[in-house]
Amino acid sequence: MQLDPPILGYYGRGKEQGRLFEEPQGILERLRTWDILDRSRPPGGKVLDIGGGAGVHARWLAERGHDVEMFDPVPLHLEQATRTAATLSQSRTFVVESADARDIPRPDMYADIVLLLGPVYHLVEATDRRSALDEARRLLRPGGHLAVAGISRFAWLMDAYRQQLASEPEIHETIIHSLETGRSVAQPGPTSFWAYFHRPDELEAEIRTSGFRDVALYGIEGFAWLLPDLHEALALESTRDRLLALLRKVETEPSVLGVSTHLLTTARVPDC
């Protein structure tokens, strides 16, 4: 299966490796993703981190005792993740392999946990998203856990105003297009962020349609990514902990889910 060229161009710029540690919004995304996964994942077991990027989440899970295999179709990500895995001890490292989320070279019922923290929103066609979710369902054992990240339909609307870009006519047109179609842009360029933006209930419905149960939907960043002083709020342990505690309080509130940039959905395969 062929990856859309804009995705290769976008991630080929090399910014993904440091994004979750250097930018305030990225740090918030990482901390909140780990917090939600910590509370929803079973201890131990085989994890497939599909679309794992530079290996940030794979490393975190491997260091916590999981047997992790990471897959990604972007050559630069594979190089970065391989270097990251090589820094870990033999008992805490992870496997890195090239593969598309719609076709993972592993047998049925192979894993206890499957992460799709990037592929689903980069598959702009509903049929391709269904293929990736069906593939995750195939790979999971009965009772296995799934975690899927999506991007809110309203994220670009808010981000364009946050960055004071919305007054530019071409930006305004992309906002309208994303709200009406869910697609990030009408015609992606060589390095465009090419993605599908979900409504919260739409993402939940797609996961249920692939046969998963116990579906729970979380707002990862909630309102906090819009704070003008987010960097300062995360810099001090006391203010960071208070902010994260408040985000946990409202993380599943349906009326505010769409405010979050990213949505995280957890689900399970039926036991039998």
Side-chain angles (χ1 to χ4, degrees):
M1 295 180 181
Q2 189 171 359
L3 195 68
D4 287 342
I7 297 174
L8 286 172
Y10 180 83
Y11 287 112
R13 302 178 307 163
K15 295 185 177 182
E16 188 65 16
Q17 186 171 36
R19 182 181 67 84
L20 297 176
F21 293 93
E22 298 166 0
E23 303 171 9
Q25 284 78 18
I27 293 169
L28 178 65
E29 178 190 339
R30 172 175 56 84
L31 293 176
R32 284 283 298 145
T33 298
W34 288 356
D35 179 37
I36 297 166
L37 291 179
D38 242 351
R39 289 179 280 132
S40 60
R41 65 184 170 90
K46 169 76 74 176
V47 178
L48 301 185
D49 183 7
I50 299 174
V56 171
H57 301 306
R59 175 174 186 160
W60 179 75
L61 288 162
E63 290 177 335
R64 279 150 185 78
H66 289 281
D67 178 8
V68 182
E69 299 181 19
M70 196 208 90
F71 303 88
D72 201 275
V74 177
L76 178 59
H77 287 170
L78 297 171
E79 295 172 13
Q80 293 170 333
T82 298
R83 288 197 297 269
T84 295
T87 67
L88 303 176
S89 67
Q90 188 172 359
S91 62
R92 287 291 184 265
T93 192
F94 57 93
V95 172
V96 179
E97 190 170 327
S98 176
D100 186 288
R102 295 161 289 182
D103 185 19
I104 301 297
R106 294 295 184 271
D108 295 356
M109 296 185 288
Y110 181 75
D112 301 291
I113 302 171
V114 167
L115 304 183
L116 292 170
L117 301 184
V120 169
Y121 58 75
H122 281 309
L123 295 170
V124 298
E125 298 291 343
T127 53
D128 288 327
R129 294 195 296 276
R130 176 64 187 268
S131 293
L133 290 168
D134 287 349
E135 182 71 344
R137 175 78 166 76
R138 179 188 71 80
L139 292 163
L140 281 164
R141 298 174 181 135
H145 290 246
L146 174 73
V148 178
I151 297 177
S152 167
R153 176 67 62 93
F154 316 103
W156 179 224
L157 166 67
M158 292 180 284
D159 198 27
Y161 275 93
R162 182 185 69 87
Q163 297 187 63
Q164 299 183 337
L165 299 172
S167 61
E168 300 175 18
E170 63 272 19
I171 296 295
H172 179 78
E173 290 303 316
T174 65
I175 294 171
I176 296 298
H177 183 79
S178 69
L179 289 172
E180 291 179 347
T181 69
R183 297 190 177 200
S184 54
V185 291
Q187 296 294 331
T191 60
S192 295
F193 185 74
W194 182 225
Y196 185 80
F197 301 156
H198 281 87
R199 291 184 174 87
D201 58 334
E202 179 186 21
L203 179 60
E204 179 180 352
E206 288 185 356
I207 292 169
R208 290 189 184 279
T209 299
S210 286
F212 291 93
R213 58 179 295 182
D214 299 334
V215 181
L217 193 59
Y218 301 83
I220 294 180
E221 302 92 346
F223 63 88
W225 73 284
L226 295 167
L227 297 176
D229 60 346
L230 178 58
H231 178 76
E232 290 80 4
L234 295 174
L236 294 176
E237 184 177 353
S238 58
T239 55
R240 181 181 68 241
D241 290 349
R242 283 199 297 270
L243 178 60
L244 294 177
L246 287 172
L247 290 171
R248 188 185 286 195
K249 285 276 189 185
V250 298
E251 64 187 2
T252 59
E253 171 55 48
S255 61
V256 296
L257 280 173
V259 173
S260 188
T261 310
H262 292 89
L263 306 164
L264 185 63
T265 307
T266 62
R268 292 175 56 252
V269 174
D271 292 321
C272 58

